[in-house]
Amino acid sequence: MSTLSVREAIYYSAHLQLPDTMLVSEKRTHAEHVIQEMGLDDIMDTRIGGQITKGISGGQRKRVSICVEMLTRPRLLFLDEPTSGLDSAASYHVMSHITSVAAGEGMTVVAAVHQPGEVFELFHSLCLLAHGRTVFLGTVSDATEFFNLNGFPCPCLRNPSEHFLGTINKDFDEEIVEDSRYRRKTAAKAIDTLTNAYQSSAYSEKTTNQIIQMKEMGGAPFRTRERASFCTKLLALTKRSFVNMHRDMGYYWMRFAVFTVACTCVGTVFHHIDNSYNSIQTRCNVIMYMTIFLTFMAIGGFPSFAEDIKVFRRERLSGHYGVTEFVISNTLSATPYLAVMIIIPGAILYYLTGLTRGGSNIAYFVVTLYMCIVLVESIMMVIAAVVPDFLMGIVVGSGVQALMMTNGGFFRLPNQLPKPVWKYPCYYISFHKYAVQGFYKNEFVGQTFASDQLIMANATITGHQVLEALQVEMWYSKWVNLAILFGMAVIYRMMFFAIVKVAEGIRPKMRRMKCYL
């Protein structure tokens, strides 16, 4: 996460991965030791940074990622281009340390390296690939001998790894390579020559025999390493998410400022609404505006949440924690921020407009607004799990909300909506319906308003009559509306959980199908 410092990122990762048998102090000491091993002492308290805020460099970010994976000393460590973004000295330092740790801890390290340089001498085995074809698999010393025997010797004073990669690089096939007999060959022909030679060579037979011997020998049973408990992971994720939301201005603070300004503006425009006949429409306008505007603005935090989803997917694939911990921790950490974001602007609006006074009325208004925001964020979680790009996610989220608003029951009364599709089922699955009707009941029940009938002196209209004219469903209370909104938020969070779980099973199958095709 871009808002965390290097120290914090490794600390939280240690709490997520290391077992509960280790004391908290031991986890912190181990995390600091790993940071020092990667040469990150000087930037421990520097934030990682991202697109908006400047932080550590790309090479340092790469080393932080390696620190996260090396915390548990895994049996198998796969590193994808660990030296990219590093200078030669840093590359050699990092890889030499990984080599020594691997030797001491019994780890197997598989690294994909495109620019080996001096790091090449640290590797024990080499696998050269060219467009999915195995050019060579064996020891480093055998590789040099293999190229020499097949007409592609390494020139003097040249790094063997650079020579190997230059020979089999087919990206610029108009370029040519020369063999020892000064015959000019394209890279494609060189790959064909080396691949065919390797398949029928003693090197291939040697490697195959080693694999067979390893299978026959077997080995110690692979023990599943101890992990942190569910509660430990949940606590660590909640703390990390809370810190991230506090430091990320775009997550809640910018929306809080916009909400406060908007509620102040609406409150001053509709200042001190009286109980005249015209105030009925005014109250409806205030309710409609707040329901639409505040819920629509809730999608503003989607970019920050989309970044959290990326971090979650990477850590989920590494086995750090599950979907359940992520969903619960995100909900718990967001609760206080959402409460502040709604309570203060909502109280300002309620005080300035002079809506129906009463402790229960004010509490219901604020809690319903809060539940609407939670529900919209739940919808955006579902969209984030389906749509990978945050710009596309904002567009899709805006479209979904626009459809729900159309069928919310305030642009057209419920009985005026076309029954196919728009009323059944769209009207009943739109959360705006339950929010607006709950607000209407909260505002008009028990109220009386002056009538506009001139022939009837002192005539009044009751709030119940207003609700009937607005076609509000009166056979259940406003608290049922609130309960329905809560249930819809839970359903959308469960949908997010189900989509992520199903996607985990589908992705490997899709990859296998592509391989078969």
Side-chain angles (χ1 to χ4, degrees):
M1 290 183 172
S2 60
T3 56
L4 300 180
S5 67
V6 173
R7 188 196 302 268
E8 291 170 334
I10 306 302
Y11 276 5
Y12 285 122
S13 186
H15 287 294
L16 290 172
Q17 297 185 72
L18 298 177
D20 290 342
T21 53
M22 292 182 64
L23 298 175
V24 175
S25 58
E26 293 177 345
K27 293 180 179 180
R28 288 179 175 270
T29 302
H30 179 64
E32 290 187 358
H33 178 65
V34 174
I35 293 173
Q36 292 169 359
E37 289 175 340
M38 289 292 107
L40 298 172
D41 312 51
D42 296 337
I43 59 166
M44 270 190 179
D45 298 314
T46 304
R47 292 190 185 181
I48 294 174
Q51 296 180 348
I52 299 177
T53 58
K54 181 176 174 57
I56 61 178
S57 65
Q60 292 168 336
R61 188 190 303 264
K62 176 74 70 173
R63 281 186 276 171
V64 172
S65 298
I66 296 175
C67 285
V68 169
E69 299 303 326
M70 291 189 64
L71 278 170
T72 56
R73 302 300 198 235
R75 292 282 294 275
L76 174 63
L77 178 64
F78 180 78
L79 301 176
D80 185 16
E81 299 189 48
T83 59
S84 63
L86 304 179
D87 57 42
S88 58
S91 299
Y92 190 83
H93 170 81
V94 170
M95 293 306 299
S96 62
H97 172 71
I98 293 174
T99 302
S100 61
V101 172
E105 301 288 340
M107 294 167 50
T108 299
V109 180
V110 180
V113 184
H114 290 178
Q115 292 179 324
E118 296 181 1
V119 174
F120 181 68
E121 65 185 54
L122 299 174
F123 288 88
H124 306 97
S125 301
L126 173 68
C127 178
L128 285 172
L129 298 174
H131 294 271
R133 301 171 65 186
T134 302
V135 177
F136 179 82
L137 175 59
T139 62
V140 173
S141 58
D142 286 346
T144 304
E145 184 180 357
F146 171 73
F147 272 73
N148 289 340
L149 293 176
N150 290 280
F152 299 95
C154 179
C156 296
L157 303 179
R158 187 174 182 182
N159 190 303
S161 63
E162 302 293 342
H163 172 67
F164 298 155
L165 293 179
T167 303
I168 64 175
N169 187 356
K170 202 169 65 172
D171 293 339
F172 305 97
D173 210 16
E174 68 275 5
E175 298 288 340
I176 58 175
V177 296
E178 295 186 3
D179 61 9
S180 59
R181 301 172 183 83
Y182 302 99
R183 291 178 298 187
R184 299 163 73 82
K185 290 185 178 181
T186 62
K189 291 182 179 179
I191 292 172
D192 291 335
T193 301
L194 293 170
T195 303
N196 295 332
Y198 176 73
Q199 291 174 352
S200 59
S201 68
Y203 304 105
S204 177
E205 183 179 355
K206 177 182 176 182
T207 303
T208 304
N209 291 334
Q210 289 178 342
I211 294 174
I212 294 174
Q213 290 176 5
M214 291 164 64
K215 287 183 177 180
E216 293 175 349
M217 290 172 58
F222 188 86
R223 293 186 302 171
T224 303
R225 62 180 173 87
E226 293 183 66
R227 297 176 178 271
S229 65
F230 175 85
C231 293
T232 301
K233 292 180 180 180
L234 182 61
L235 182 61
L237 283 174
T238 303
K239 287 182 177 180
R240 188 179 73 172
S241 182
F242 188 88
V243 172
N244 180 49
M245 292 175 181
H246 172 70
R247 294 177 180 175
D248 188 348
M249 296 298 295
Y251 224 127
Y252 290 113
W253 298 120
M254 288 296 294
R255 283 186 287 164
F256 170 72
V258 172
F259 283 8
T260 303
V261 172
C263 288
T264 303
C265 293
V266 173
T268 53
V269 170
F270 298 98
H271 184 255
H272 193 62
I273 303 173
D274 55 22
N275 278 56
S276 65
Y277 179 79
N278 292 330
S279 71
I280 297 174
Q281 184 61 47
T282 303
R283 294 169 190 270
C284 291
N285 292 339
V286 172
I287 290 172
M288 180 189 70
Y289 180 84
M290 294 310 300
T291 306
I292 292 177
F293 179 77
L294 288 186
T295 55
F296 198 85
M297 279 295 298
I299 67 176
F302 181 78
S304 297
F305 182 73
E307 292 298 319
D308 290 353
I309 288 288
K310 291 180 182 178
V311 175
F312 157 70
R313 282 177 173 158
R314 187 185 69 81
E315 294 178 336
R316 170 62 177 161
L317 289 174
S318 298
H320 295 178
Y321 52 88
V323 188
T324 306
E325 294 96 317
F326 174 74
V327 175
I328 296 177
S329 64
N330 183 270
T331 303
L332 293 176
S333 57
T335 298
Y337 293 105
L338 287 174
V340 172
M341 191 174 72
I342 292 301
I343 290 175
I344 296 177
I348 292 173
L349 173 73
Y350 215 92
Y351 174 78
L352 291 176
T353 55
L355 296 175
T356 302
R357 301 298 184 184
S360 63
N361 297 86
I362 297 174
Y364 181 87
F365 181 83
V366 173
V367 172
T368 302
L369 274 182
Y370 171 82
M371 193 53 59
C372 288
I373 301 298
V374 171
L375 202 153
V376 173
E377 291 209 338
S378 302
I379 294 174
M380 299 308 294
M381 289 177 72
V382 174
I383 295 174
V386 178
V387 182
D389 183 72
F390 75 88
L391 279 177
M392 292 175 59
I394 291 177
V395 172
V396 173
S398 302
V400 170
Q401 284 228 68
L403 287 176
M404 289 185 176
M405 291 175 191
T406 305
N407 308 295
F410 40 80
F411 290 118
R412 292 206 75 180
L413 293 176
N415 292 340
Q416 297 174 346
L417 289 171
K419 288 184 172 55
V421 180
W422 298 115
K423 187 169 184 179
Y424 304 102
C426 290
Y427 172 66
Y428 289 96
I429 63 176
S430 170
F431 75 90
H432 294 86
K433 164 191 181 304
Y434 305 100
V436 170
Q437 290 200 5
F439 284 134
Y440 282 166
K441 294 174 186 177
N442 185 62
E443 182 61 28
F444 291 110
V445 170
Q447 288 274 63
T448 57
F449 302 91
S451 174
D452 64 340
Q453 300 296 325
L454 299 178
I455 59 175
M456 298 177 61
N458 300 322
T460 59
I461 298 176
T462 64
H464 189 80
Q465 291 174 314
V466 174
L467 294 174
E468 287 181 343
L470 294 172
Q471 300 178 9
V472 175
E473 298 170 353
M474 296 298 298
W475 55 274
Y476 56 87
S477 71
K478 62 183 181 181
W479 301 105
V480 175
N481 290 92
L482 181 60
I484 292 173
L485 291 174
F486 176 79
M488 293 179 75
V490 172
I491 289 173
Y492 279 117
R493 300 261 169 167
M494 293 176 63
M495 286 176 60
F496 170 78
F497 178 87
I499 290 172
V500 175
K501 278 290 186 182
V502 171
E504 287 181 356
I506 291 178
R507 285 195 183 101
K509 296 179 181 178
M510 295 294 292
R511 293 192 187 101
R512 285 197 293 267
M513 289 178 61
K514 289 180 180 179
C515 292
Y516 292 143
L517 295 175

